[in-house]
Amino acid sequence: MTITCFIQYEIDPFQRDAFKAYAENWGRIIPRCGGHLVGYFLPHEGSNDEAWGLIAFPSLAAYEAYRQRLRADPEGQANFEWAQQKRFILKEKRTFTEVVDGTFCIDQAPCPSSATTGAFA
């Protein structure tokens, strides 16, 4: 079973760049600690204060082991502390979901990237 931790953030829209840097830091830390980082997502259009982070794990036991490694990771601790000091995260909620078989990581054409196409299809 694959579970995904959906983290919903309410962010200060005037500190969007700070949240972006925070998310980019997790791009190094989360994989090192054992999580499969699906991605972090910033608001683009519509609501300007909601961001998301998605991290997948093979099981809840794997998630618990990840949390232990994350607590011991100096860069992870520093990233948490920096976010608390800057106060760009106003609220955070976590939800754990189970993947529907046959719908996650299926073979498909690569997703278009804004870097290569200028916009998503």
Side-chain angles (χ1 to χ4, degrees), residues 9-101:
Y9 297 95
E10 181 182 334
I11 63 171
D12 178 345
F14 298 104
Q15 295 193 64
R16 185 181 191 277
D17 289 342
F19 184 85
K20 182 179 180 186
Y22 172 81
E24 289 169 343
N25 291 340
W26 288 126
R28 292 184 307 278
I29 301 163
I30 290 170
R32 180 174 65 234
C33 292
H36 170 76
L37 181 59
V38 177
Y40 270 83
F41 304 87
L42 283 166
H44 177 70
E45 192 171 320
S47 175
N48 67 353
D49 65 348
E50 190 172 323
W52 296 84
L54 284 72
I55 311 165
F57 303 92
S59 66
L60 280 175
Y63 169 74
E64 292 301 329
Y66 157 83
R67 294 284 293 167
Q68 291 293 327
R69 288 188 293 272
L70 189 61
R71 284 187 198 107
D73 187 274
E75 191 179 4
Q77 291 174 359
N79 207 34
F80 278 127
E81 290 170 8
W82 180 66
Q84 290 174 340
Q85 290 169 357
K86 294 293 183 181
R87 303 179 65 95
F88 51 82
I89 298 172
L90 307 176
K91 188 182 344 181
E92 180 178 322
K93 292 195 284 187
R94 293 172 186 263
T95 300
F96 291 85
T97 61
E98 178 182 339
V99 71
V100 175
D101 289 337

